[in-house]
Amino acid sequence: MDFETIKTTVLTFVETHKEWAPVVTAVIAFCESLAFLSILVPATFILLAIGALIGSSDLPFWPMVIGAGIGAGLGDWVSYEVGHYFKDDVKKVWPMKRYPEMTDKAEDFLRRWGAGAVAIGRFIGPARAVVPLVAGSFGVNRIPFQIANWLSAFVWAFLMLAPGAGLLTWFKH
């Protein structure tokens, strides 16, 4: 299946089965935030398209944001735990072993910003799925990680869905 087919299928399902839309949005955000899987799933474009679907249909905005926030937070949490479990061995697995400079940059980023790097990294495309994984292997404490993870997950979800949902226009009035 190509990207356009995946996007069309997901959007058609969301529009047809509105009661499942927050759950579907959560799964897509989870895929976007989970290390390794985020490379394979074109979730950013699908989430932006779901935002547009919210704006053009009667999908409720806040349940969608909550679904996306929960999915993103869980994806980062799982990535962190994988990194925490495997420690430095994470660097030996694809795609990390193929891009060691990316891992080094993530470690430098974490060294400089601590758990705040998780919140900042959420808004930087390729770093979104890598920083939590490296945070786990690098030894960032769980509580600061989770605080940064969950707060940034819901802000990110809002910012992904709001433009398409027309909230920027609403704020201008």
Side-chain angles (χ1 to χ4, degrees):
M1 251 199 271
D2 63 28
F3 167 71
E4 194 59 36
T5 304
I6 293 169
K7 185 180 91 173
T8 303
T9 303
V10 170
L11 293 177
T12 302
F13 183 86
V14 166
E15 194 168 25
T16 306
H17 305 284
K18 290 177 171 69
E19 65 278 3
W20 286 99
V23 174
V24 172
T25 304
V27 170
I28 293 166
F30 177 82
C31 292
E32 173 70 11
S33 299
L34 187 65
F36 309 124
L37 187 56
S38 64
I39 295 168
L40 306 173
V41 178
T44 299
F45 298 110
I46 294 173
L47 287 169
L48 291 171
I50 287 174
L53 195 58
I54 293 168
S56 65
S57 69
D58 61 347
L59 284 172
F61 178 71
W62 289 109
M64 302 297 281
V65 170
I66 291 167
I70 290 170
L74 289 174
D76 275 11
W77 189 353
V78 170
S79 295
Y80 173 89
E81 292 300 333
V82 167
H84 185 73
Y85 181 79
F86 288 105
K87 303 281 185 220
D88 280 343
D89 288 342
V90 165
K91 297 177 185 179
K92 299 174 188 172
V93 180
W94 176 89
M96 306 302 270
K97 72 177 180 181
R98 197 163 165 209
Y99 302 101
E101 68 282 349
M102 181 173 60
T103 306
D104 293 341
K105 285 181 183 180
E107 284 183 357
D108 290 342
F109 192 51
L110 284 159
R111 198 173 285 114
R112 181 173 183 182
W113 295 98
V118 175
I120 296 166
R122 167 120 28 225
F123 300 96
I124 302 169
R128 183 171 21 262
V130 175
V131 170
L133 179 72
V134 175
S137 70
F138 190 65
V140 173
N141 290 327
R142 274 191 178 93
I143 299 297
F145 169 82
Q146 291 295 3
I147 291 169
N149 173 32
W150 289 104
L151 290 176
S152 66
F154 287 100
V155 171
W156 174 83
F158 177 85
L159 293 174
M160 287 296 288
L161 298 173
L167 290 182
L168 293 180
T169 304
W170 181 77
F171 281 125
K172 288 179 183 177
H173 291 3

